[in-house]
Amino acid sequence: MTEEIRALRRLPDFIIGGAPKCGTTSLHFILGQNPQIGIPDNEIHYFDADDPITHPDFLDVRGGDLKWFDVGLNNEESLDWYASRFSEFGGKLLVGEDSTTYLFSAVAARRIKSLLPDVRLIFLLRDPVKRAYSQYWHLIRSARLSCSFEQALSRHSSIILGSTYAPHVADYFNVFGRENVHVAVFEDFLSDKQAFINRITNHIGASEMDAGTLKTWFNRTYYPTMPGCQQWLNRIGGRIVAGRYRNHMEHETRLTEKIRHKLHYHWFRRVNPVLLKAEKPPAMQPGTAAYLAHHLSDRNAGLSDLLNRDLSAIWPGFRG
């Protein structure tokens, strides 16, 4: 069945599967400059689109009924939608996608294996404390949170889950074999871009790229000048965001969906940027940083052994 599906549809040769806020967007941007590679502009989130842990915004309740995306080998409509993301890359040697939640989704690994048994996987990791804080500010900028970082740690489970690498990396190793899974560390990208990129292209079978000629910086990030005001503003914007992502697979074309799309566009084009002027976020509270260093080290126990590398030498305060 899988071979027949691949023969009829162009599907990915590689997947950048996370973790979020670890340089996946930059890697996407870099690989997109390789003439051998085709990669869609947006994250696809096909293999975990029905996962309420990774994508609570994708689910909806209408008239008391739960609306969700049915994904899998037996759903021709969703498979057609997935394959359509790559249809423009027919002349490329390799096609891929990046969906930053696959690493910590409990359902994605085995679904990917069922459809794409030979796919090459790439996961990027980063100092887990810094990654968690970066994700928080991403959620603030995208109007998905309206509370402090300390409150968010107990209200938005993906912040902690996204910095929990060890059990999920081990699971992918078990499902796909170590030879098909490349785990990279974002701090290596900062210290030696050329070596970092070479390891990636070698893993997926693409030609090497000259880091000196590449555009490696995707876009500048700005932060709220008044975080409290931004949190208040997000109470309104959050409803617009939630409505926008409930039609992730674009199955519905009703008038209400068109209105939601316009509201989303104008909110993030005209309203949301008003307070986003600061070039750096506020410093994390020392007590919160100490708590996260302790807790995320325990959550990632054994990661250094798993990757054959002393990560405490790269991530200050990390024990794992």
Side-chain angles (χ1 to χ4, degrees), residues 8-281:
L8 295 172
R9 301 177 174 94
R10 184 69 193 271
L11 297 174
D13 302 289
F14 69 89
I15 292 175
I16 307 168
K21 311 312 295 178
C22 291
T24 56
T25 299
S26 295
L27 180 58
H28 174 139
F29 187 61
I30 289 168
L31 293 180
Q33 297 171 64
N34 189 316
Q36 294 182 330
I37 295 174
I39 185 166
D41 290 337
N42 298 320
E43 293 189 28
I44 298 178
H45 300 303
Y46 174 69
F47 294 100
D48 65 346
D50 64 338
D51 189 335
I53 306 301
T54 57
H55 300 295
D57 289 346
F58 287 7
L59 276 67
D60 193 13
V61 177
R62 296 179 189 168
D65 293 329
L66 182 67
K67 304 297 181 182
W68 52 284
F69 297 113
D70 185 6
V71 301
L73 290 174
N74 297 320
N75 188 321
E76 291 292 322
E77 183 181 5
S78 65
L79 277 171
D80 285 341
W81 177 86
Y82 185 54
S84 72
R85 306 300 98 178
F86 313 100
S87 58
E88 65 181 290
F89 305 120
K92 299 292 185 179
L93 175 67
L94 300 168
V95 297
E97 63 137 312
D98 69 308
S99 295
T100 54
T101 54
Y102 289 163
L103 177 59
F104 60 93
S105 169
V107 298
R110 285 155 186 82
R111 288 177 172 177
I112 295 170
K113 182 67 174 179
S114 294
L115 183 62
L116 307 170
D118 301 317
V119 74
R120 290 298 178 115
L121 291 152
I122 303 164
F123 297 113
L124 308 184
L125 310 183
R126 177 187 180 187
D127 181 322
V129 176
K130 292 180 179 178
R131 193 223 64 82
Y133 201 45
S134 179
Q135 183 181 353
Y136 166 75
W137 287 109
H138 172 76
L139 292 169
I140 287 290
R141 292 193 305 272
S142 59
R144 293 187 179 190
L145 278 183
S146 55
C147 60
S148 70
F149 180 53
E150 286 69 23
Q151 292 169 324
L153 292 176
S154 60
R155 295 181 185 179
H156 205 290
S157 60
S158 73
I159 293 177
I160 293 294
L161 193 57
S163 286
T164 305
Y165 311 136
H168 307 297
V169 169
D171 192 38
Y172 272 92
F173 280 168
N174 290 333
V175 173
F176 287 91
R178 286 176 175 261
E179 68 278 5
N180 291 317
V181 181
H182 179 74
V183 180
V185 176
F186 176 67
E187 287 78 6
D188 289 344
F189 175 76
L190 298 178
S191 63
D192 190 341
K193 292 183 176 64
Q194 186 64 65
F196 182 94
I197 296 168
N198 286 350
R199 288 190 288 267
I200 299 288
T201 53
N202 181 64
H203 177 66
I204 64 176
S207 59
E208 290 190 352
M209 308 171 72
D210 182 357
T213 64
L214 294 172
K215 298 177 181 178
T216 57
W217 180 61
F218 188 72
N219 57 9
R220 181 179 291 276
T221 299
Y222 290 98
Y223 300 87
T225 52
M226 295 181 285
C229 291
Q230 186 70 49
Q231 291 170 27
W232 181 87
L233 192 65
N234 287 356
R235 295 177 185 177
I236 301 171
R239 297 185 178 185
I240 297 172
V241 170
R244 176 75 179 94
Y245 288 103
R246 285 173 189 151
N247 195 25
H248 172 66
M249 289 190 177
E250 303 169 345
H251 287 164
E252 301 180 14
T253 56
R254 299 177 307 164
L255 178 60
T256 53
E257 296 300 326
K258 294 180 180 179
I259 293 173
R260 283 174 180 168
H261 181 80
K262 286 187 177 294
L263 282 172
H264 187 272
Y265 174 82
H266 287 294
W267 181 268
F268 286 95
R269 183 68 179 260
R270 303 176 186 280
V271 180
N272 202 53
V274 171
L275 295 175
L276 298 177
K277 304 293 184 182
E279 295 188 358
K280 294 182 179 180

